[in-house]
Amino acid sequence: MGRLSIHKVEYLGDKYFFESPELDSRLSIIEGPNGSGKSTFFNLIYYGLGGRVEEFDPSSREVHAEVMGDTNNLVRLVIGVDGELFTLTRLIRDNSITIFKPSTELDGVVAPLQSETLPLARRGDSRTFSDWLLEHLNIPVVDIFQGGKQFKLSFTDLARLIYYNQSPDANGIYKPADNTGYVSDSLEIRRAIFQILVGKTLLELYEAIGIQKIAERDAQAAKAVHDEYQDIVNHLLHASGLKGIQNTKALNDEMEAFERQIAQLLETRKAFSRGEIGDEEARRSLQVELQRVRDMELRRREIDEKHEQLVQEAGQLLDVERSLQADIQRINKVIYAHNQLNLFSADTCPYCLSSVLRSPGHCVCGCAIDERDYQRFFYSPAEYLEILKSKSKTLETLHVAIKSIQGESAQLRLERDGLLKDLSERRERITVAKAYPDTVDAAMEELDARLLEVRERLAKAQEAFRLETKLDAMAKRHAAKKRDYSLAKANVERLDGESKVELQQQVDLFNRVYNDLMTTVVRECRTASIDSQMYLPFINGGQYREFSASVPKRFLYYLTLLQLSLMSDIPFPRLLLVDTPETNGIDIDGLLKMLRQIETLENPKNRDFQILFSTGVGKYPPEFDKNVVLRLTDEDRLLKERSAV
């Protein structure tokens, strides 16, 4: 299954900034005292992955003063998904994420830098950032049906067993949900999160259940539409004087009989008239036909002129589209180059590119300026991103306009073809009428009356055939949807049986690993396991409730999930984010013993994994010192002031 890793974390704002070192080792430790920014480090990661961070929400009671007091600020992550690198950029106070994929070269062909902006919240069937991330992790978007409501599991739901945050519930296992509610934080959702992360067949089962629910809904809807339309057809056929419902084969035979009668009557009429049109009324009809031909010719010319205008307009829009695409590609390159090299800022000398300590309200040369009105030759990363989003939105609008023109052009071509065909037929009839100007006898009237009667009966049969054809299609659609539902139900039953066996095997394996870790770390622990219903820990059969065991109970639960992902192919993305576990209460000896269990992880297939871990100063085994990638202090905190650099 897919593997997720964090390679770099950045925060950029007008007042503060932060740039992490490369996080490429399997264990990376962030060390620092309380208040130095360890939790902010993990908040930046979680926010950059689409999560909700309460301190970054302006409506929260307690907000992060530096971040929420900053301007033009954003979070940027460089992540790896199965070794493929992406850059994620999310503006503070924004609910969308822009994904950048660097340009690559394969067999001499260079793929250009690509960008895509996706929303975090789902609107109808829109694609979200979570959909993109789960797709790259080979985890389908699972639908959970509960209490008549449909709920789609997102990456942030699964992260509740990946991100060990400073949870206020010392005995809790799952990270609190971003949006607490009856559905989003229900026991059924928690069960689904565990089952999806530990079982391939369980993942297929949840996907199959979603397909079954949709198939059942479609089958019920198809049946309701068929039954309602059948009542309408019965009513219409009864009102038209047709007896009951006939199948399409019988109606087709009836229409063919009517068409044969009409053909015979026309032949008889032609024999009587011998091609002649006689009286004054016929000549007036001929003049009307001629006027109709002239009107149709005028409409054809109008269509030709309109089509020529559309062609010119489409050409102009295509030129604008090519220009916009070129602009977007240039902006992508500027953003990417700026991300990598940090070329330009308001405090950079334009000649040597050295940083200059610029006084507010003054240029780098010392002249007084108005910060709001001076000529801009550079933009902040946030402003470049806004320009990119604006250009991309304009390009989408342009695509809609081009499609609209193409659709209008196609309709004009269809109308023109119909006009030409009708003109040809009318001209032929006019030519015949002019060739035979004499009158016809009284027999023509009788033939016309009989033709009218048979044509009316044919029209009713054709209408009945149209209704029956549509009804037949609805019946076939209902049968197909019913068959799809039966197949989906059978597939769910098959996967349900297989998943129960797999789940029991995974729970047994989890219990063996978890029990070994817990009994090693907690001396008072005799047995540790999880129950088979909610998958929550039971220590000593549920009798042991020491507060000091809450930290290893939760941390080793997460570590066990990581261990299972190293031993078998499960959807767990082999990533752990652990934020200062000792704050929930654990003695230093117990903490060191717990952390040393990381070294005991079995990795028979030598799979890559990542643990990002923050802790207090010196609160880790001495042998882990080489894994410290960031040392924070009260003076050297995570977020740096730009004026202090």
Side-chain angles (χ1 to χ4, degrees):
M1 306 300 286
R3 182 215 169 203
L4 177 63
S5 56
I6 310 298
H7 290 253
K8 199 168 187 179
V9 183
E10 292 181 85
Y11 170 84
L12 298 174
D14 290 337
K15 299 178 181 179
Y16 297 92
F17 73 95
F18 165 72
E19 181 177 348
S20 75
E22 288 291 332
L23 307 171
D24 54 359
S25 63
R26 292 183 172 181
L27 174 63
S28 297
I29 298 176
I30 296 88
E31 176 188 14
N34 291 339
S36 59
K38 299 190 300 296
S39 294
T40 301
F41 177 81
F42 286 99
N43 283 340
L44 293 175
I45 293 176
Y46 189 61
Y47 192 77
L49 291 174
R52 178 183 180 273
V53 176
E54 190 169 355
E55 293 180 355
F56 296 170
D57 187 344
S59 64
S60 298
R61 292 184 178 179
E62 296 183 6
V63 299
H64 195 290
E66 289 85 353
V67 172
M68 300 313 296
D70 208 346
T71 54
N72 287 323
N73 46 350
L74 56 86
V75 176
R76 188 159 59 214
L77 302 179
V78 178
I79 68 169
V81 184
D82 283 340
E84 189 175 10
L85 293 180
F86 299 91
T87 299
L88 311 179
T89 302
R90 180 180 179 185
L91 299 172
I92 301 297
R93 302 181 183 85
D94 191 19
N95 288 321
S96 64
I97 291 180
T98 300
I99 306 157
F100 292 93
K101 183 179 181 182
S103 58
T104 56
E105 183 175 352
L106 181 63
D107 297 332
V109 179
V110 178
L113 176 68
Q114 301 175 18
S115 68
E116 182 179 12
T117 300
L118 295 173
L120 299 181
R122 191 180 304 279
R123 296 289 182 268
D125 295 329
S126 64
R127 189 167 182 253
T128 66
F129 168 76
S130 175
D131 296 339
W132 175 89
L133 184 54
L134 292 177
E135 175 186 326
H136 281 72
L137 290 173
N138 295 318
I139 300 176
V141 180
V142 171
D143 291 286
I144 303 295
F145 297 86
Q146 186 177 10
K149 295 183 178 180
Q150 182 178 356
F151 181 83
K152 291 183 180 293
L153 281 184
S154 67
F155 173 78
T156 54
D157 293 310
L158 300 181
R160 295 178 65 186
L161 287 179
I162 298 170
Y163 177 19
Y164 182 116
N165 71 330
Q166 295 186 33
S167 173
D169 182 4
N171 292 309
I173 296 296
Y174 290 73
K175 173 192 169 297
D178 284 0
N179 300 305
T180 56
Y182 170 72
V183 176
S184 62
D185 196 31
S186 66
L187 296 178
E188 185 64 28
I189 295 298
R190 297 188 192 186
R191 281 170 49 85
I193 292 171
F194 179 88
Q195 292 175 354
I196 287 171
L197 287 176
V198 303
K200 293 185 296 183
T201 307
L202 284 160
L203 187 59
E204 294 176 11
L205 173 62
Y206 275 102
E207 186 178 11
I209 290 174
I211 294 173
Q212 178 192 347
K213 291 291 185 180
I214 294 173
E216 182 180 14
R217 181 191 62 196
D218 290 346
Q220 291 174 348
K223 183 179 185 304
V225 171
H226 172 267
D227 292 347
E228 182 177 357
Y229 192 75
Q230 182 170 283
D231 291 340
I232 294 173
V233 170
N234 280 334
H235 177 75
L236 291 176
L237 293 179
H238 180 75
S240 65
L242 297 174
K243 297 180 180 179
I245 298 178
Q246 303 181 55
N247 61 46
T248 53
K249 292 182 179 179
L251 286 170
N252 189 65
D253 293 340
E254 191 171 349
M255 287 189 299
E256 289 179 355
F258 287 146
E259 288 170 351
R260 286 194 296 270
Q261 291 182 41
I262 291 172
Q264 292 173 357
L265 288 170
L266 288 174
E267 287 295 328
T268 304
R269 187 177 185 278
K270 184 177 180 181
F272 271 109
S273 64
R274 296 181 182 178
E276 298 175 354
I277 298 178
D279 55 18
E280 186 66 26
E281 182 178 354
R283 284 190 291 273
R284 285 196 300 269
S285 297
L286 178 60
Q287 293 301 318
V288 171
E289 191 76 349
L290 288 169
Q291 183 60 44
R292 176 60 179 161
V293 168
R294 285 191 289 269
D295 293 340
M296 292 174 69
E297 283 285 358
L298 180 62
R299 176 56 183 162
R300 182 184 61 78
R301 286 194 294 271
E302 291 175 354
I303 290 174
D304 289 342
E305 293 173 358
K306 178 63 175 177
H307 187 265
E308 185 177 356
Q309 293 175 0
L310 289 176
V311 170
Q312 294 176 355
E313 185 177 350
Q316 294 171 354
L317 290 179
L318 288 173
D319 290 339
V320 176
E321 179 189 30
R322 284 191 290 269
S323 176
L324 267 176
Q325 288 174 338
D327 288 345
I328 290 172
Q329 183 61 22
R330 284 194 293 272
I331 293 172
N332 278 334
K333 291 179 180 178
V334 169
I335 293 176
Y336 186 74
H338 184 54
N339 291 347
Q340 300 298 314
L341 303 177
N342 197 19
L343 292 176
F344 311 115
S345 74
D347 302 318
T348 301
C349 175
Y351 294 97
C352 66
L353 300 182
S354 298
S355 297
V356 178
L357 185 59
R358 185 175 64 87
S359 300
H362 292 79
C363 180
V364 293
C365 68
C367 294
I369 59 171
D370 188 333
E371 296 279 355
R372 296 169 299 178
D373 297 335
Y374 74 97
Q375 180 64 42
R376 298 289 298 275
F377 293 97
F378 54 85
Y379 296 93
S380 70
E383 290 170 324
Y384 271 123
L385 196 60
E386 288 293 344
I387 294 172
L388 175 63
K389 290 168 69 174
S390 175
K391 293 277 188 180
S392 299
K393 188 65 178 178
T394 303
L395 186 60
E396 292 176 3
T397 304
L398 198 61
H399 287 161
V400 172
I402 291 174
K403 288 184 179 179
S404 176
I405 289 176
Q406 291 172 343
E408 186 177 354
S409 176
Q411 288 194 353
L412 287 174
R413 287 196 300 271
L414 286 175
E415 184 180 354
R416 187 179 188 278
D417 292 342
L419 278 173
L420 291 176
K421 182 179 179 181
D422 198 3
L423 277 169
S424 177
E425 294 174 354
R426 289 178 183 275
R427 287 194 183 106
E428 184 177 350
R429 288 198 298 269
I430 290 172
T431 301
V432 172
K434 288 180 176 180
Y436 303 99
D438 297 333
T439 61
V440 294
D441 55 23
M444 295 294 294
E445 296 182 4
E446 182 180 353
L447 287 172
D448 288 340
R450 291 176 61 187
L451 274 171
L452 180 60
E453 178 186 355
V454 177
R455 281 171 174 163
E456 287 178 351
R457 295 175 65 186
L458 175 60
K460 289 182 178 180
Q462 288 172 336
E463 178 63 16
F465 182 81
R466 186 185 67 81
L467 295 173
E468 285 296 329
T469 300
K470 189 171 182 180
L471 184 61
D472 186 53
M474 289 183 176
K476 290 179 180 178
R477 182 175 181 273
H478 174 221
K481 294 297 182 183
K482 187 176 180 181
R483 183 172 60 254
D484 291 345
Y485 169 65
S486 298
L487 292 173
K489 184 178 180 181
N491 191 40
V492 167
E493 292 173 351
R494 177 184 64 81
L495 289 172
D496 184 54
E498 295 177 4
S499 65
K500 287 178 180 177
V501 175
E502 181 192 40
L503 180 59
Q504 188 58 52
Q505 292 173 344
Q506 294 291 56
V507 169
D508 290 344
L509 178 58
F510 188 100
N511 285 337
R512 289 199 299 272
V513 174
Y514 189 58
N515 182 75
D516 183 60
L517 292 173
M518 282 293 294
T519 54
T520 300
V521 174
V522 183
R523 58 186 300 178
E524 296 87 357
C525 177
R526 294 188 178 89
T527 61
S529 62
I530 58 174
D531 71 276
S532 59
Q533 295 299 317
M534 297 311 305
Y535 316 114
L536 295 178
F538 271 87
I539 311 300
N540 295 346
Q543 298 177 0
Y544 185 71
R545 300 180 183 275
E546 275 296 323
F547 182 75
S548 60
S550 63
V551 173
K553 181 174 70 174
R554 186 182 182 206
F555 175 79
L556 296 177
Y557 190 102
Y558 285 53
L559 195 64
T560 301
L561 287 170
L562 178 60
Q563 176 64 87
L564 264 61
S565 71
L566 298 177
M567 299 173 66
S568 59
D569 292 325
I570 63 175
F572 192 85
R574 307 205 294 276
L575 169 68
L576 285 184
L577 307 174
V578 184
D579 180 15
T580 324
E582 69 267 19
T583 57
N584 282 336
I586 185 174
D587 60 88
I588 186 64
D589 291 336
L591 178 66
L592 298 182
K593 184 183 290 187
M594 181 185 77
L595 294 180
R596 283 192 172 103
Q597 301 311 303
I598 295 174
E599 293 184 313
T600 68
L601 290 173
E602 298 179 21
N603 195 357
K605 298 182 180 180
N606 194 28
R607 289 175 166 167
D608 284 332
F609 65 91
Q610 186 179 43
I611 301 176
L612 296 180
F613 187 90
S614 68
T615 185
V617 177
K619 293 183 178 181
Y620 52 84
E623 60 269 25
F624 285 4
D625 187 71
K626 63 182 182 298
N627 298 103
V628 177
V629 297
L630 192 61
R631 300 182 192 272
L632 304 174
T633 65
D634 291 330
E635 294 76 24
D636 187 15
R637 302 173 69 227
L638 188 86
L639 297 184
K640 309 291 190 300
E641 287 191 65
R642 291 194 178 275
S643 59
V645 177

